[in-house]
Amino acid sequence: VRPTKAQMAALKRRDPVLGARIKHLPSFPNFPVGVLRGPYFHVLARSIVYQQLATRAAATIYGRVRKLGPGPRFPTPAQMLALSDEELRGAGLSGNKAKALRDLASKIVSGELRLKGIARHEDAEVIRLLSTVWGIGEWTAQMFLIFKLGRLDIMPSGDLGVQNGLRILDGLDSRPSPDTLLLRAEVWRPLRSVAAWYLWRLTDTG
């Protein structure tokens, strides 16, 4: 999903400071892209593995977990439940992340969490449903909404990269609080996901 040219023009008019930065940054992608086009379970499992890790380290661990399945693809929920704690920990997962992957797989296999129709739900309901899984909180659910479901109006105000991006954008002395960021983000509706993506890019480029 990608915003229209008219929507982007309106965003730049509402926030000329952000608009000036956007001119020098890459175009907002048409999500989902790459590995995020995979099944919902795989995308959520990847998010769990990547939590609070540097990208390279997370990618290494994710690759090891992927190889634990019987085939070339990432294990299915049922295959994940068949793996031992020793196998998961041996791949580099922490105890908490192994527990989170197991709980996600268990809820899917039991039918307690039905991912098939999750795209039909409103943003808040998607966050509520995913947050029933141990180890999945608001941030992980928001990343799923933005990068997998392509929702355009999500503001992950607790994300340090987004906070740092706003610090750079507005020339602040320190990162803003989540509440301050949410207030600042009102001008970006209904494209807060787009604004967040550009704040991440500002953080990347310094």
CSV table of all heavy atoms in Angstrom, one decimal, residues 11 18 22 28 143 146-147 152-157 159 161-163 165-166 181 185 188 191-203:
chain,number,residue,atom,x,y,z
A,11,LEU,N,0.4,16.1,2.9
A,11,LEU,CA,1.3,16.0,4.0
A,11,LEU,C,2.4,17.0,4.0
A,11,LEU,O,2.7,17.6,5.1
A,11,LEU,CB,1.9,14.6,4.0
A,11,LEU,CG,2.9,14.2,5.1
A,11,LEU,CD1,2.3,14.3,6.5
A,11,LEU,CD2,3.5,12.9,4.8
A,18,LEU,N,8.9,18.8,7.5
A,18,LEU,CA,9.0,17.4,7.1
A,18,LEU,C,9.0,17.3,5.6
A,18,LEU,O,9.8,16.5,5.0
A,18,LEU,CB,7.8,16.6,7.6
A,18,LEU,CG,7.8,15.1,7.2
A,18,LEU,CD1,9.1,14.4,7.8
A,18,LEU,CD2,6.6,14.4,7.7
A,22,ILE,N,11.6,15.3,3.1
A,22,ILE,CA,11.2,14.2,2.2
A,22,ILE,C,11.8,14.4,0.8
A,22,ILE,O,12.1,13.4,0.2
A,22,ILE,CB,9.6,14.2,2.2
A,22,ILE,CG1,9.1,13.7,3.5
A,22,ILE,CG2,9.1,13.3,1.0
A,22,ILE,CD1,7.6,13.7,3.6
A,28,PHE,N,8.6,6.5,-0.3
A,28,PHE,CA,8.0,5.6,0.6
A,28,PHE,C,7.7,4.3,-0.1
A,28,PHE,O,7.0,4.3,-1.2
A,28,PHE,CB,6.7,6.2,1.2
A,28,PHE,CG,6.0,5.3,2.3
A,28,PHE,CD1,6.5,5.2,3.5
A,28,PHE,CD2,4.9,4.6,1.9
A,28,PHE,CE1,5.9,4.5,4.5
A,28,PHE,CE2,4.2,3.8,2.9
A,28,PHE,CZ,4.7,3.8,4.2
A,143,MET,N,4.4,-2.6,14.1
A,143,MET,CA,5.3,-2.9,13.0
A,143,MET,C,4.6,-3.9,12.0
A,143,MET,O,4.7,-3.7,10.8
A,143,MET,CB,6.6,-3.6,13.5
A,143,MET,CG,7.5,-2.8,14.4
A,143,MET,SD,8.0,-1.2,13.7
A,143,MET,CE,6.8,0.0,14.6
A,146,ILE,N,2.2,-1.7,10.0
A,146,ILE,CA,2.8,-0.9,9.0
A,146,ILE,C,3.4,-1.7,7.9
A,146,ILE,O,3.1,-1.5,6.7
A,146,ILE,CB,3.9,0.0,9.7
A,146,ILE,CG1,3.3,1.0,10.7
A,146,ILE,CG2,4.7,0.8,8.6
A,146,ILE,CD1,4.3,1.7,11.5
A,147,PHE,N,4.3,-2.6,8.2
A,147,PHE,CA,5.1,-3.3,7.2
A,147,PHE,C,4.5,-4.5,6.6
A,147,PHE,O,4.9,-4.9,5.5
A,147,PHE,CB,6.5,-3.7,7.9
A,147,PHE,CG,7.3,-2.5,8.3
A,147,PHE,CD1,7.4,-2.2,9.6
A,147,PHE,CD2,7.8,-1.6,7.3
A,147,PHE,CE1,8.2,-1.0,10.0
A,147,PHE,CE2,8.5,-0.5,7.7
A,147,PHE,CZ,8.7,-0.2,9.0
A,152,LEU,N,-1.5,2.9,6.8
A,152,LEU,CA,-0.8,4.2,6.6
A,152,LEU,C,-0.9,5.2,7.8
A,152,LEU,O,-0.2,6.2,7.7
A,152,LEU,CB,-1.4,4.9,5.3
A,152,LEU,CG,-1.1,4.1,4.0
A,152,LEU,CD1,-1.8,4.8,2.9
A,152,LEU,CD2,0.4,4.0,3.7
A,153,ASP,N,-1.7,4.9,8.8
A,153,ASP,CA,-1.8,5.9,9.8
A,153,ASP,C,-1.5,5.3,11.2
A,153,ASP,O,-2.3,5.5,12.2
A,153,ASP,CB,-3.3,6.5,9.8
A,153,ASP,CG,-3.4,7.8,10.6
A,153,ASP,OD1,-2.4,8.5,10.6
A,153,ASP,OD2,-4.5,8.0,11.2
A,154,ILE,N,-0.3,4.7,11.4
A,154,ILE,CA,0.1,4.2,12.6
A,154,ILE,C,1.3,5.0,13.1
A,154,ILE,O,2.2,5.4,12.4
A,154,ILE,CB,0.6,2.7,12.5
A,154,ILE,CG1,-0.5,1.9,11.9
A,154,ILE,CG2,1.1,2.2,13.8
A,154,ILE,CD1,-1.7,1.8,12.7
A,155,MET,N,1.3,5.4,14.4
A,155,MET,CA,2.4,6.2,15.0
A,155,MET,C,3.0,5.4,16.1
A,155,MET,O,2.4,5.4,17.2
A,155,MET,CB,1.9,7.6,15.4
A,155,MET,CG,3.0,8.4,16.1
A,155,MET,SD,4.7,8.4,15.3
A,155,MET,CE,4.3,9.1,13.7
A,156,PRO,N,4.1,4.7,15.9
A,156,PRO,CA,4.8,4.0,17.0
A,156,PRO,C,5.6,5.0,17.9
A,156,PRO,O,6.8,5.1,17.8
A,156,PRO,CB,5.7,3.0,16.3
A,156,PRO,CG,6.0,3.7,15.0
A,156,PRO,CD,4.8,4.5,14.6
A,157,SER,N,4.9,5.7,18.8
A,157,SER,CA,5.5,6.7,19.5
A,157,SER,C,6.5,6.3,20.5
A,157,SER,O,7.3,7.1,21.0
A,157,SER,CB,4.4,7.5,20.3
A,157,SER,OG,3.7,6.7,21.2
A,159,ASP,N,8.9,4.1,19.8
A,159,ASP,CA,10.0,3.6,19.0
A,159,ASP,C,11.2,4.7,19.2
A,159,ASP,O,11.0,5.9,18.8
A,159,ASP,CB,9.6,3.4,17.6
A,159,ASP,CG,10.8,2.8,16.8
A,159,ASP,OD1,11.7,3.6,16.3
A,159,ASP,OD2,10.7,1.6,16.6
A,161,GLY,N,13.9,5.0,17.4
A,161,GLY,CA,14.3,5.5,16.1
A,161,GLY,C,13.4,6.7,15.6
A,161,GLY,O,13.8,7.7,15.1
A,162,VAL,N,12.1,6.5,15.8
A,162,VAL,CA,11.1,7.5,15.5
A,162,VAL,C,11.3,8.8,16.3
A,162,VAL,O,11.3,9.9,15.9
A,162,VAL,CB,9.7,7.0,15.6
A,162,VAL,CG1,8.7,8.1,15.3
A,162,VAL,CG2,9.4,5.9,14.6
A,163,GLN,N,11.5,8.5,17.6
A,163,GLN,CA,11.8,9.7,18.5
A,163,GLN,C,13.0,10.4,18.1
A,163,GLN,O,13.0,11.7,18.1
A,163,GLN,CB,11.9,9.2,20.0
A,163,GLN,CG,10.6,8.6,20.6
A,163,GLN,CD,10.8,8.0,21.9
A,163,GLN,OE1,11.9,8.0,22.5
A,163,GLN,NE2,9.8,7.3,22.4
A,165,GLY,N,14.3,10.5,15.2
A,165,GLY,CA,14.1,11.2,13.9
A,165,GLY,C,13.4,12.5,14.1
A,165,GLY,O,13.7,13.5,13.5
A,166,LEU,N,12.5,12.6,15.1
A,166,LEU,CA,11.8,13.9,15.4
A,166,LEU,C,12.8,14.8,16.0
A,166,LEU,O,12.7,16.0,15.8
A,166,LEU,CB,10.6,13.6,16.3
A,166,LEU,CG,9.8,14.9,16.6
A,166,LEU,CD1,9.3,15.5,15.3
A,166,LEU,CD2,8.6,14.6,17.5
A,181,LEU,N,5.5,13.2,21.1
A,181,LEU,CA,5.6,12.7,19.7
A,181,LEU,C,4.2,12.5,19.2
A,181,LEU,O,3.9,12.9,18.0
A,181,LEU,CB,6.4,11.4,19.7
A,181,LEU,CG,6.5,10.7,18.3
A,181,LEU,CD1,7.0,11.7,17.2
A,181,LEU,CD2,7.4,9.5,18.4
A,185,ALA,N,2.5,14.4,16.1
A,185,ALA,CA,2.1,13.6,14.9
A,185,ALA,C,0.7,13.9,14.4
A,185,ALA,O,0.3,13.4,13.3
A,185,ALA,CB,2.3,12.1,15.3
A,188,TRP,N,0.3,15.0,10.9
A,188,TRP,CA,0.6,14.0,9.9
A,188,TRP,C,-0.6,13.1,9.5
A,188,TRP,O,-0.4,12.3,8.6
A,188,TRP,CB,1.8,13.1,10.3
A,188,TRP,CG,3.0,14.0,10.6
A,188,TRP,CD1,3.4,15.1,10.0
A,188,TRP,CD2,4.0,13.7,11.6
A,188,TRP,NE1,4.6,15.6,10.5
A,188,TRP,CE2,5.0,14.7,11.5
A,188,TRP,CE3,4.2,12.7,12.5
A,188,TRP,CZ2,6.1,14.8,12.3
A,188,TRP,CZ3,5.3,12.7,13.3
A,188,TRP,CH2,6.3,13.8,13.2
A,191,LEU,N,-1.5,10.0,7.5
A,191,LEU,CA,-0.3,9.4,7.0
A,191,LEU,C,0.8,9.3,8.1
A,191,LEU,O,2.0,9.5,7.8
A,191,LEU,CB,0.3,10.1,5.7
A,191,LEU,CG,-0.6,10.1,4.5
A,191,LEU,CD1,0.0,10.9,3.4
A,191,LEU,CD2,-1.0,8.7,4.0
A,192,ARG,N,0.4,9.0,9.3
A,192,ARG,CA,1.4,8.9,10.3
A,192,ARG,C,2.5,7.8,10.1
A,192,ARG,O,3.6,7.9,10.5
A,192,ARG,CB,0.8,8.8,11.7
A,192,ARG,CG,0.0,10.0,12.1
A,192,ARG,CD,-0.6,9.9,13.5
A,192,ARG,NE,-1.6,8.8,13.5
A,192,ARG,CZ,-2.2,8.3,14.6
A,192,ARG,NH1,-1.9,8.9,15.8
A,192,ARG,NH2,-3.1,7.4,14.5
A,193,SER,N,2.1,6.7,9.5
A,193,SER,CA,3.0,5.6,9.2
A,193,SER,C,4.1,6.1,8.2
A,193,SER,O,5.3,5.8,8.4
A,193,SER,CB,2.3,4.4,8.6
A,193,SER,OG,1.4,3.9,9.4
A,194,VAL,N,3.7,6.9,7.3
A,194,VAL,CA,4.6,7.5,6.3
A,194,VAL,C,5.6,8.4,7.0
A,194,VAL,O,6.8,8.4,6.7
A,194,VAL,CB,3.8,8.2,5.2
A,194,VAL,CG1,4.8,8.9,4.2
A,194,VAL,CG2,2.8,7.3,4.5
A,195,ALA,N,5.0,9.3,7.8
A,195,ALA,CA,5.9,10.2,8.6
A,195,ALA,C,6.9,9.5,9.4
A,195,ALA,O,8.1,9.8,9.5
A,195,ALA,CB,5.1,11.2,9.4
A,196,ALA,N,6.4,8.4,10.1
A,196,ALA,CA,7.3,7.6,10.9
A,196,ALA,C,8.4,7.0,10.1
A,196,ALA,O,9.6,6.9,10.5
A,196,ALA,CB,6.5,6.5,11.6
A,197,TRP,N,8.1,6.5,8.9
A,197,TRP,CA,9.1,5.9,8.0
A,197,TRP,C,10.2,6.9,7.7
A,197,TRP,O,11.4,6.6,7.7
A,197,TRP,CB,8.4,5.3,6.8
A,197,TRP,CG,9.3,4.5,5.9
A,197,TRP,CD1,9.6,3.2,6.0
A,197,TRP,CD2,10.1,5.0,4.8
A,197,TRP,NE1,10.5,2.8,5.0
A,197,TRP,CE2,10.8,3.9,4.3
A,197,TRP,CE3,10.2,6.2,4.1
A,197,TRP,CZ2,11.6,4.0,3.1
A,197,TRP,CZ3,11.0,6.4,3.0
A,197,TRP,CH2,11.7,5.2,2.5
A,198,TYR,N,9.7,8.1,7.4
A,198,TYR,CA,10.7,9.2,7.1
A,198,TYR,C,11.5,9.6,8.3
A,198,TYR,O,12.7,9.9,8.2
A,198,TYR,CB,10.0,10.4,6.4
A,198,TYR,CG,9.8,10.2,5.0
A,198,TYR,CD1,8.5,10.0,4.5
A,198,TYR,CD2,10.8,10.1,4.1
A,198,TYR,CE1,8.2,9.8,3.2
A,198,TYR,CE2,10.6,9.9,2.7
A,198,TYR,CZ,9.3,9.7,2.3
A,198,TYR,OH,9.0,9.5,0.9
A,199,LEU,N,11.0,9.5,9.5
A,199,LEU,CA,11.7,9.8,10.7
A,199,LEU,C,12.8,8.7,10.9
A,199,LEU,O,13.9,9.0,11.3
A,199,LEU,CB,10.8,9.9,11.9
A,199,LEU,CG,9.8,11.1,11.9
A,199,LEU,CD1,9.0,11.0,13.2
A,199,LEU,CD2,10.6,12.4,11.8
A,200,TRP,N,12.5,7.5,10.6
A,200,TRP,CA,13.5,6.4,10.6
A,200,TRP,C,14.6,6.7,9.7
A,200,TRP,O,15.8,6.5,10.0
A,200,TRP,CB,12.8,5.0,10.3
A,200,TRP,CG,12.2,4.4,11.5
A,200,TRP,CD1,12.6,4.2,12.7
A,200,TRP,CD2,10.9,3.7,11.4
A,200,TRP,NE1,11.7,3.5,13.5
A,200,TRP,CE2,10.6,3.2,12.7
A,200,TRP,CE3,9.9,3.5,10.5
A,200,TRP,CZ2,9.5,2.5,13.1
A,200,TRP,CZ3,8.7,2.9,10.8
A,200,TRP,CH2,8.5,2.4,12.1
A,201,ARG,N,14.3,7.2,8.5
A,201,ARG,CA,15.3,7.5,7.5
A,201,ARG,C,16.2,8.6,8.0
A,201,ARG,O,17.4,8.6,7.7
A,201,ARG,CB,14.7,7.9,6.1
A,201,ARG,CG,13.7,6.8,5.5
A,201,ARG,CD,14.5,5.6,5.0
A,201,ARG,NE,14.9,4.7,6.1
A,201,ARG,CZ,14.1,3.9,6.8
A,201,ARG,NH1,12.8,3.9,6.6
A,201,ARG,NH2,14.6,3.1,7.7
A,202,LEU,N,15.6,9.6,8.6
A,202,LEU,CA,16.4,10.7,9.2
A,202,LEU,C,17.4,10.1,10.2
A,202,LEU,O,18.5,10.6,10.3
A,202,LEU,CB,15.5,11.7,9.8
A,202,LEU,CG,14.8,12.7,8.9
A,202,LEU,CD1,13.9,13.6,9.6
A,202,LEU,CD2,15.8,13.4,8.0
A,203,THR,N,16.9,9.2,11.1
A,203,THR,CA,17.8,8.6,12.1
A,203,THR,C,18.9,7.8,11.4
A,203,THR,O,20.1,7.9,11.8
A,203,THR,CB,17.0,7.6,12.9
A,203,THR,OG1,16.0,8.4,13.7
A,203,THR,CG2,17.9,6.9,13.9
